[in-house]
Amino acid sequence: MPADDIKQFIREIPKAELHMHLDSVPPELLLRSARRNNVELPFSDVEGAIEWYRFNDLEEFLQKWMVTTSVLVTETDYYEVALELGRDMQQQNIIRREVMFTYAAAHEGRVELDTMMKGLARGRRQVKEEFGLDLYFIADIDRTISPERSLKYVDEIAAYKDEVGILGIGLDCQEIGYPAGVHRDAFARARELGFYLSAHCGEEYAAGPEGVWDAVNDLNVDRIDHGNQAIRDNELINHIVENDIPMTLCPISNVSINVYESIADHPVIELRNRGATVTVNSDDPPFFQADLNDNYMQLVETFNLGVDDITQLVRNSFTCSYATDEEKTAYLAALDDWCRVVNPG
Ligand code: ADE
Ligand code: ZN
């Protein structure tokens, strides 16, 4: 298929995204909130933002990530962030999105949890009404907080579970020096409360396959966020395959924060070929100037993927989601219908 046709195929195929961060707000929206709230950003226009978004590693990325959210203060700010996620879903044909937010890292101290939750709940309802799309959330725990704090946070967030559509508890931020097992009580409590569980792990080289083992063994996660370093451990790959633990991989993100030199070095396709259930995701699109469709397109160009490969990856995005069985059946039927129209016979 010619490159333009593949591009169109990727853009139009109905898909889900399971790993992106709400706290990665598009610069246009940040600038608007900054003006409204009289707060300064380290850039004054979109070009300045793009210039500022350069990272040597995860640590530098996380520092800048937290600076940008400093302009979000009111319920309206969060409403607009959620609504923008919906607009972007419509543009990329993402019919379901499970979006992470990290209250302790990026918002606490500036905004009451209740203010943020009310804004997100309103935005999410509007996304359904205006675009007919399914927006859900995952409440990530910043790894660097204390286990007492993370346990308390799980109970606090549970109060908003249904109203805000929070399906899971996750773990993110700096991994090196902050082992996942510290938060085992928070994750056990989250399980009791009916949340699904995931964790960012095995992202940077220094985190290694051990970071993934920790998340799998100590937190009993349902999904692995990143986990790309698993490629260095055959026993771990076998464990992931045998236990069918889905991986939410983010190829362009990993290249942007210098985990890999190029997409060609990324293990997403090798992990797939070894039997892991992998999904493709964007992580922090405004920071990398690359959305979900760009991630698919770069995989196509680098690994010479065809429409069957893309369709299988998209299928995984639905089957690995936290949707109910009935919802998954409906999403897959929509996908199959679309494929039949595009490729009759
Ligand atoms: N928060 C946002 N993006 C992240 C990443 N790639 N790793 C860890 N925490 C994050
Ligand atoms: Zn992430």
Side-chain angles (χ1 to χ4, degrees), residues 122-187:
R122 189 153 66 89
R124 173 174 180 269
R125 277 197 304 275
Q126 184 72 20
V127 167
K128 187 71 180 171
E129 275 169 32
E130 195 171 328
F131 307 114
L133 301 172
D134 298 332
L135 176 60
Y136 288 94
F137 296 105
I138 296 169
D140 273 8
I141 292 167
D142 172 354
R143 275 177 183 263
T144 66
I145 67 174
S146 72
E148 293 78 23
R149 179 76 197 91
S150 62
L151 181 59
K152 192 159 165 274
Y153 178 60
V154 168
D155 277 320
E156 284 164 7
I157 210 73
Y160 299 97
K161 192 170 184 287
D162 296 334
E163 188 196 348
V164 186
I166 303 169
L167 299 176
I169 295 292
L171 189 71
D172 67 7
C173 296
Q174 185 51 262
E175 182 176 3
I176 297 157
Y178 297 93
V182 166
H183 299 288
R184 68 163 61 72
D185 290 349
F187 273 67

Side-chain angles (χ1 to χ4, degrees), residues 17-38:
E17 180 163 40
L18 309 180
H19 182 162
M20 86 162 284
H21 297 263
L22 167 116
D23 333 77
S24 304
V25 180
E28 296 86 345
L29 218 56
L30 288 172
L31 289 161
R32 190 158 72 208
S33 292
R35 266 193 303 275
R36 200 165 46 213
N37 299 327
N38 266 323

Side-chain angles (χ1 to χ4, degrees), residues 17-271:
E17 180 163 40
L18 309 180
H19 182 162
M20 86 162 284
H21 297 263
L22 167 116
D23 333 77
S24 304
V25 180
E28 296 86 345
L29 218 56
L30 288 172
L31 289 161
R32 190 158 72 208
S33 292
R35 266 193 303 275
R36 200 165 46 213
N37 299 327
N38 266 323
V39 189
E40 278 208 28
L41 276 166
F43 46 82
S44 54
D45 54 26
V46 173
E47 292 72 35
I50 291 169
E51 190 55 37
W52 192 69
Y53 294 161
R54 289 182 202 281
F55 323 102
N56 286 313
D57 55 19
L58 179 64
E59 185 61 31
E60 194 182 354
F61 165 78
L62 290 170
Q63 279 168 7
K64 292 192 172 181
W65 180 67
M66 289 180 221
V67 168
T68 55
T69 48
S70 65
V71 299
L72 304 175
V73 181
T74 64
E75 188 194 314
T76 301
D77 295 331
Y78 288 97
Y79 164 76
E80 289 189 354
V81 169
L83 191 57
E84 184 55 33
L85 287 170
R87 269 196 209 105
D88 177 68
M89 288 168 76
Q90 189 187 42
Q91 219 169 32
Q92 296 194 67
N93 279 309
I94 297 171
I95 61 176
R96 178 187 181 89
R97 206 174 220 176
E98 298 174 6
V99 176
M100 300 148 178
F101 61 83
T102 316
Y103 179 67
H107 313 277
E108 194 174 29
R110 188 184 68 253
V111 185
E112 293 291 331
L113 183 62
D114 194 59
T115 304
M116 180 172 171
M117 292 301 105
K118 286 211 167 83
L120 296 188
R122 189 153 66 89
R124 173 174 180 269
R125 277 197 304 275
Q126 184 72 20
V127 167
K128 187 71 180 171
E129 275 169 32
E130 195 171 328
F131 307 114
L133 301 172
D134 298 332
L135 176 60
Y136 288 94
F137 296 105
I138 296 169
D140 273 8
I141 292 167
D142 172 354
R143 275 177 183 263
T144 66
I145 67 174
S146 72
E148 293 78 23
R149 179 76 197 91
S150 62
L151 181 59
K152 192 159 165 274
Y153 178 60
V154 168
D155 277 320
E156 284 164 7
I157 210 73
Y160 299 97
K161 192 170 184 287
D162 296 334
E163 188 196 348
V164 186
I166 303 169
L167 299 176
I169 295 292
L171 189 71
D172 67 7
C173 296
Q174 185 51 262
E175 182 176 3
I176 297 157
Y178 297 93
V182 166
H183 299 288
R184 68 163 61 72
D185 290 349
F187 273 67
R189 176 82 182 125
R191 180 71 87 201
E192 276 172 16
L193 291 167
F195 287 108
Y196 289 99
L197 308 179
S198 65
H200 284 55
C201 57
E203 180 180 1
E204 288 189 293
Y205 187 85
E210 311 80 56
V212 184
W213 278 121
D214 288 349
V216 167
N217 288 334
D218 296 345
L219 304 184
N220 192 20
V221 291
D222 299 298
R223 282 200 311 234
I224 294 167
D225 294 324
H226 296 293
N228 39 286
Q229 299 299 338
I231 199 68
R232 291 159 50 199
D233 182 339
N234 288 334
E235 198 190 324
L236 176 56
I237 296 174
N238 291 341
H239 183 87
I240 288 169
V241 172
E242 279 162 20
N243 292 281
D244 202 14
I245 310 173
M247 305 178 79
T248 68
L249 292 152
C250 308
I252 294 181
S253 165
N254 293 155
V255 172
S256 299
I257 66 160
N258 280 329
V259 178
Y260 300 107
E261 246 176 58
S262 71
I263 296 289
D265 300 318
H266 198 279
V268 53
I269 299 303
E270 196 182 336
L271 285 164

Side-chain angles (χ1 to χ4, degrees), residues 305-316:
L305 302 187
V307 294
D308 289 349
D309 298 292
I310 301 163
T311 306
Q312 184 58 52
L313 290 167
V314 165
R315 182 167 280 274
N316 291 352

